[in-house]
């Protein structure tokens, strides 16, 4: 395994984790552009732009893009989050150059008005579909309530109103503010010819004009609140709770993940044994989400409406007991084994490593091997894990419940 890095003259970084014995190659453009970089007026533009990138370029039509992806036998897709937009393909090593050429081309899309108007309806339908299926936007509603005016309070999809009012000119302006070569990283993993990757990037991307890009990354303040959103047609009640947690570059993210595994992993945790194994809830877990500058610890509950209040009381009791009495060494040992085993399994394929390497680089400008990450978890002490419960109290949280219940007495 070898890590290589090179920066083009215009600022585009090219990085790769090379495994010559791998049977496949994964590569993608990772862009520092997401919902946190928008304004309220253009909320949803990052995700909308992700769709438009596949609608054609000055040299390729949308049909050409899809046909050529098939011709090189790629598994390709894209996604948008609060912080990143990623365009990627998984191919056989002999198709590395073809995939690089194609992905590089679509990174400079035409953004035609006719395509924009057509795709707008697709996005609006996607928003409506998301609101009409479980968990009925509970995550977005809780993020908005918890973060308020903080940039992370904006929905990745935007709203029907903001997407409906968005103009093609606004999208082009946003593209010209965020898609600078210095704000993009070309990432590859697996069986990679790095010299060829760099030369292809130089040929395809070297003429991209650089410009300055900034991002505000304030730490979010504590927030608490309780909101009930009635969804009469829902069969279950869906509850999301958000408490503050470590940011992407905080050292205590490792003990925080171990704490979350002990208390709220979806198998074998305290929440599992109290709520899932007993049949009180269909799902109950806690997971950390780390962003630049701030982070959250998110609890998710799905249960029958009549059991919601009791389940929430039990969750709070579990959290309070954990903070008062602490976790145990046996629980920590099991959590380390679970996380480290999952890390190794998860990162066996080049496709999985692509996202691990790329996301880590965007968030921290750092490369870490699987072994180094495992060692970071193994080095965490019980005192460090218990300290997380005091530093980031799970009971100081924002709660949003979506479902048929109109009032929840807790």
């Amino acid at each position: 395994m070898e890590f290589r890095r090179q920066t083009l003259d215009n600022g585009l970084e090219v990085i790769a984790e090379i495994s010559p014995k791998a049977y496949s190659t994964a590569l993608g453009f990772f862009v520092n552009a997401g919902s946190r970089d928008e304004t309220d007026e253009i909320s949803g533009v990052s995700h909308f732009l992700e769709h438009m990138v596949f609608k054609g370029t000055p040299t390729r039509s949308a049909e050409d893009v899809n046909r050529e992806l098939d011709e090189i036998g790629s598994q390709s897709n894209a996604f948008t989050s609060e912080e990143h937009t990623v365009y990627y393909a998984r191919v056989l090593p002999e198709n590395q150059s073809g995939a690089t050429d194609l992905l590089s081309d679509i990174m400079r899309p035409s953004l035609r008005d006719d395509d924009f108007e057509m795709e707008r309806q697709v996005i609006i339908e996607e928003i409506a579909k998301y609101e009409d299926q479980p968990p009925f936007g509970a995550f977005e509603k809780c993020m908005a309530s918890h973060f308020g005016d903080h940039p992370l309070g904006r929905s990745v999809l935007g709203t029907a109103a903001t997407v409906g009012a968005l103009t093609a000119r606004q999208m082009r302006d946003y593209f010209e503010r965020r898609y600078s070569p210095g704000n993009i990283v070309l990432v590859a993993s697996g069986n990679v010819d790095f010299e060829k990757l760099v030369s292809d990037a130089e040929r395809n991307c070297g003429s991209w004009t650089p410009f300055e890009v900034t991002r505000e990354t304030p730490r979010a303040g504590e927030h608490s609140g309780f909101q009930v959103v009635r969804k009469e047609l829902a069969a279950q009640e869906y509850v999301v709770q958000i408490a503050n947690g470590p940011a992407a570059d905080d050292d205590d993210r490792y003990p925080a993940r171990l704490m979350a595994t002990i208390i709220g992993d979806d198998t074998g945790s305290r929440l599992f044994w109290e709520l899932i194994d007993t049949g009180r809830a269909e799902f109950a877990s806690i997971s950390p989400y780390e962003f630049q500058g701030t982070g959250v610890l998110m609890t998710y509950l799905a249960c029958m409406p009549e059991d919601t209040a009791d389940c929430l009381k039990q969750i709070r009791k579990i959290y309070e007991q954990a903070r008062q009495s602490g976790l145990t060494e046996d629980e920590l040992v099991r959590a380390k084994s679970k996380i480290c085993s999952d890390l190794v399994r998860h990162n066996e394929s080049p496709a999985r490593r692509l996202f691990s390497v790329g996301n880590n680089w965007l968030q921290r400008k750092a490369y870490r091997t699987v072994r180094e990450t495992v060692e970071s978890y193994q080095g965490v002490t019980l005192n460090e894990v218990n300290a997380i419960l005091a530093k980031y109290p799970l009971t100081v949280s924002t709660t949003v419940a979506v479902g048929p219940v109109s009032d929840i007495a807790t």
Side-chain angles (χ1 to χ4, degrees):
M1 199 80 72
E2 180 186 12
F3 178 73
R4 299 281 302 276
R5 174 195 177 195
Q6 188 162 328
T7 303
L8 306 189
D9 290 341
N10 62 4
L12 178 73
E13 287 186 295
V14 183
I15 66 172
E17 182 183 75
I18 304 166
S19 179
K21 294 183 179 180
Y23 291 105
S24 64
T25 303
L27 67 155
F29 284 95
F30 286 62
V31 189
N32 267 310
S35 57
R36 73 175 301 160
D37 303 304
E38 302 166 358
T39 63
D40 292 342
E41 183 183 11
I42 59 169
S43 177
V45 68
S46 302
H47 171 254
F48 196 158
L49 177 56
E50 172 215 315
H51 282 235
M52 289 294 294
V53 161
F54 290 91
K55 293 302 178 182
T57 73
T59 60
R60 287 179 172 90
S61 67
E63 291 76 12
D64 291 335
V65 172
N66 286 295
R67 174 178 51 77
E68 290 184 39
L69 286 170
D70 287 341
E71 286 174 351
I72 61 176
S74 75
Q75 289 184 323
S76 56
N77 212 330
F79 64 86
T80 306
S81 68
E82 289 82 3
E83 297 190 314
H84 310 137
T85 309
V86 179
Y87 307 86
Y88 65 93
R90 295 172 286 186
V91 296
L92 297 180
E94 57 264 31
N95 291 318
Q96 174 188 302
S97 284
T100 307
D101 292 350
L102 183 53
L103 289 178
S104 299
D105 192 33
I106 67 172
M107 293 301 292
R108 287 298 180 263
S110 295
L111 302 180
R112 292 180 287 262
D113 289 354
D114 289 346
D115 295 328
F116 179 89
E117 293 303 329
M118 185 179 302
E119 199 63 24
R120 184 205 305 275
Q121 297 308 311
V122 174
I123 304 295
I124 291 175
E125 289 174 8
E126 184 178 353
I127 293 171
K129 177 183 177 182
Y130 192 71
E131 283 286 336
D132 283 341
Q133 64 186 18
F136 308 106
F139 170 84
E140 285 76 12
K141 291 177 174 65
C142 197
M143 287 283 285
S145 179
H146 184 77
F147 282 105
D149 293 334
H150 189 282
L152 287 169
R154 297 190 193 96
S155 166
V156 172
L157 292 181
T159 67
T162 59
V163 172
L166 193 68
T167 67
R169 179 68 264 171
Q170 286 175 311
M171 177 177 287
R172 286 190 283 268
D173 288 344
Y174 178 79
F175 178 86
E176 291 166 5
R177 290 197 304 271
R178 300 304 307 179
Y179 277 61
S180 171
N183 204 41
I184 301 172
V185 184
L186 174 57
V187 185
S189 62
N191 193 333
V192 179
D193 183 335
F194 188 72
E195 284 73 20
K196 182 62 176 171
L197 182 67
V198 171
S199 65
D200 288 340
E202 192 69 75
R203 173 169 50 84
N204 290 298
C205 314
S207 62
W208 294 356
T209 302
F211 51 89
E212 185 178 356
V213 180
T214 60
R215 168 183 283 172
E216 296 182 2
T217 58
R219 189 173 291 272
E222 284 190 349
H223 181 270
S224 60
F226 200 106
Q227 179 184 2
V228 177
V229 180
R230 191 159 188 262
K231 198 77 175 180
E232 189 174 354
L233 297 179
Q236 290 183 306
E237 196 73 16
Y238 300 93
V239 183
V240 175
Q241 290 185 324
I242 294 178
N244 280 356
D249 58 351
D250 290 343
D251 290 338
D252 54 8
R253 66 185 184 273
Y254 295 106
R257 292 174 192 170
L258 286 161
M259 176 276 293
T261 300
I262 293 169
I263 296 179
D265 188 57
D266 57 6
T267 59
S269 66
R270 293 189 179 190
L271 288 183
F272 174 83
W273 292 117
E274 289 293 332
L275 296 174
I276 309 303
D277 187 65
T278 58
R280 298 182 189 181
E282 180 189 1
F283 193 83
S285 70
I286 179 171
S287 300
Y289 290 84
E290 298 147 6
F291 306 103
Q292 290 181 339
T294 197
V296 299
L297 295 162
M298 184 173 296
T299 301
Y300 180 66
L301 168 71
C303 62
M304 296 304 293
E306 61 270 21
D307 296 328
T308 306
D310 287 340
C311 284
L312 287 175
K313 288 177 182 177
Q314 186 61 32
I315 289 172
R316 185 175 184 87
K317 180 180 178 182
I318 291 169
Y319 289 170
E320 288 176 342
Q321 287 178 340
R323 185 179 182 183
Q324 291 170 7
S325 303
L327 308 179
T328 70
E329 192 67 45
D330 285 345
E331 288 177 315
L332 179 58
V333 170
R334 290 196 298 271
K336 287 180 178 181
S337 177
K338 186 182 295 187
I339 286 179
C340 294
S341 296
D342 184 65
L343 266 171
V344 174
R345 292 193 303 267
H346 182 85
N347 285 282
E348 280 186 318
S349 72
R352 295 293 183 91
R353 281 302 289 165
L354 178 75
F355 301 117
S356 296
V357 172
N359 289 332
N360 200 54
W361 193 263
L362 283 189
Q363 287 190 315
R364 306 176 189 94
K365 284 293 181 182
Y367 168 71
R368 290 179 67 82
T369 65
V370 176
R371 180 181 295 277
E372 287 171 333
T373 304
V374 167
E375 289 173 350
S376 293
Y377 282 110
Q378 294 291 2
V380 173
T381 67
L382 184 61
N383 286 338
E384 290 172 327
V385 174
N386 285 326
I388 291 294
L389 293 164
K391 186 175 181 179
Y392 304 104
L394 297 173
T395 52
V396 181
S397 63
T398 305
T399 302
V400 172
V402 181
V405 176
S406 57
D407 183 54
I408 300 173
T410 58

